[in-house]
Amino acid sequence: MKEELWRMVKLFLLWCLLYSVAIIGIILGKRILKNDEIMNWTILLGFVLIAIVFFGKSYVKLSFGCIERRMIWPVIGMSVLVAASYLFFEVSFYTLIDIDHLFPKESKELREVDQHIFGIAGILSLCIFGPIAEEICVRGILLDGLLKMRCRPWIAILITALAFSLAHGYAVKLVGSLLFGIIVGWLYWRTGSIIPCLIIHIVNNSLTCIIHLISQPTNTVLIVILIVCLLSLAYGLWWFWKKFNFVGEVNQDMPKV
């Protein structure tokens, strides 16, 4: 257990070191040079380095775990369904309760942040490599390490989901990111694979970009969307529960750091 704890700590520190490239980009581009393009490209560089190092060295295993070959495409499809269902459910619910009115200051800050994310680098960071970097840290390092240390699965899932939620730094995102973290953590535990987590996170962030281009529908339409998405989300999770009614064993043959 001590060896696994030390391994998890070393991997997390390595992740932080690589992530510091993105932090430097934010400081350099936004505050010093006041150049959003430089900021976006440097952030992207940090995320890409994380993916290359952790997947290239197999510190985080990019495998299908307990998912059989014949189940790969159904798992990919259901992962997309879960991601889309959750996102549109969350957006519909937040719109109905007028989340911007409840958290006006934070909502304004988030909109200002979004204005700085543009171009190829910004889109790749937000939609693809940002989710990959986050999943490597939260599920690939922290959750994986806690499970290997024989931490109770639901405790490990809740701890990492809470860390994922708090890392976003905004109260307006707290509940949504917490629920998202629980769902994705549960899928990692059930399948023993980070791939469904990556798909869900990438689809979620990509649809978030698209949804900003859609005009706000009426409350009646939002309620219909909310109900349909809740049902499809429940179906998607039930499908995973049925197909993976055994607990996936997380890969043990990881290389030492």
Side-chain angles (χ1 to χ4, degrees):
M1 183 176 292
K2 289 183 179 179
E3 182 179 352
E4 184 53 45
L5 174 60
W6 178 231
R7 180 180 184 279
M8 182 175 68
V9 171
K10 287 193 292 184
L11 287 177
F12 180 69
L13 292 176
L14 175 61
W15 185 92
C16 290
L17 178 63
L18 296 173
Y19 185 73
S20 65
V21 174
I23 299 298
I24 291 172
I26 295 174
I27 297 173
L28 179 65
K30 187 176 181 179
R31 299 186 179 181
I32 299 177
L33 299 178
K34 299 188 183 301
N35 188 315
D36 290 340
E37 187 172 359
I38 291 177
M39 177 186 72
N40 288 330
W41 279 106
T42 312
I43 291 173
L44 177 62
L45 174 62
F47 291 157
V48 170
L49 285 175
I50 290 173
I52 291 174
V53 171
F54 278 86
F55 289 145
K57 294 290 186 179
S58 293
Y59 295 146
V60 171
K61 200 77 170 180
L62 191 61
S63 72
F64 280 96
C66 299
I67 303 171
E68 298 176 3
R69 185 179 296 274
R70 63 183 178 84
M71 294 295 294
I72 290 176
W73 284 109
V75 164
I76 292 174
M78 294 308 294
S79 297
V80 172
L81 176 66
V82 168
S85 300
Y86 178 78
L87 175 66
F88 284 102
F89 168 78
E90 181 185 60
V91 170
S92 300
F93 178 75
Y94 278 171
T95 305
L96 282 170
I97 65 174
D98 195 4
I99 195 73
D100 290 345
H101 179 72
L102 295 175
F103 299 94
K105 184 178 179 180
E106 289 195 349
S107 297
K108 182 181 178 181
E109 289 179 1
L110 284 171
R111 284 194 295 269
E112 291 175 352
V113 170
D114 291 340
Q115 292 174 358
H116 294 280
I117 301 173
F118 61 87
I120 296 176
I123 293 173
L124 288 176
S125 296
L126 179 63
C127 299
I128 299 178
F129 289 99
I132 290 174
E134 290 181 359
E135 288 305 317
I136 286 174
C137 178
V138 182
R139 257 63 66 172
I141 298 175
L142 301 180
L143 180 56
D144 178 79
L146 290 173
L147 291 174
K148 286 179 179 176
M149 288 189 288
R150 305 303 182 217
C151 178
R152 291 182 181 274
W154 279 109
I155 294 178
I157 291 169
L158 287 173
I159 290 174
T160 52
L162 183 59
F164 175 76
S165 179
L166 293 175
H168 283 77
Y170 291 95
V172 68
K173 288 188 172 184
L174 185 63
V175 175
S177 55
L178 178 63
L179 293 175
F180 181 86
I182 291 173
I183 291 172
V184 177
W186 178 79
L187 285 174
Y188 182 79
W189 171 56
R190 297 297 294 186
T191 63
S193 171
I194 198 174
I195 293 177
C197 308
L198 293 173
I199 294 171
I200 290 174
H201 206 149
I202 289 171
V203 171
N204 179 84
N205 283 29
S206 299
L207 287 177
T208 300
C209 290
I210 296 172
I211 210 170
H212 286 312
L213 304 176
I214 303 174
S215 58
Q216 182 175 325
T218 63
N219 284 351
T220 302
V221 174
L222 285 171
I223 292 173
V224 171
I225 293 174
L226 189 147
I227 294 173
V228 171
C229 289
L230 183 60
L231 292 174
S232 60
L233 175 62
Y235 172 75
L237 295 177
W238 173 82
W239 185 89
F240 274 103
W241 178 274
K242 182 180 178 182
K243 296 298 181 182
F244 300 94
N245 54 6
F246 55 89
V247 177
E249 290 294 332
V250 180
N251 289 301
Q252 300 290 331
D253 55 340
M254 299 293 186
K256 295 186 180 298
V257 182

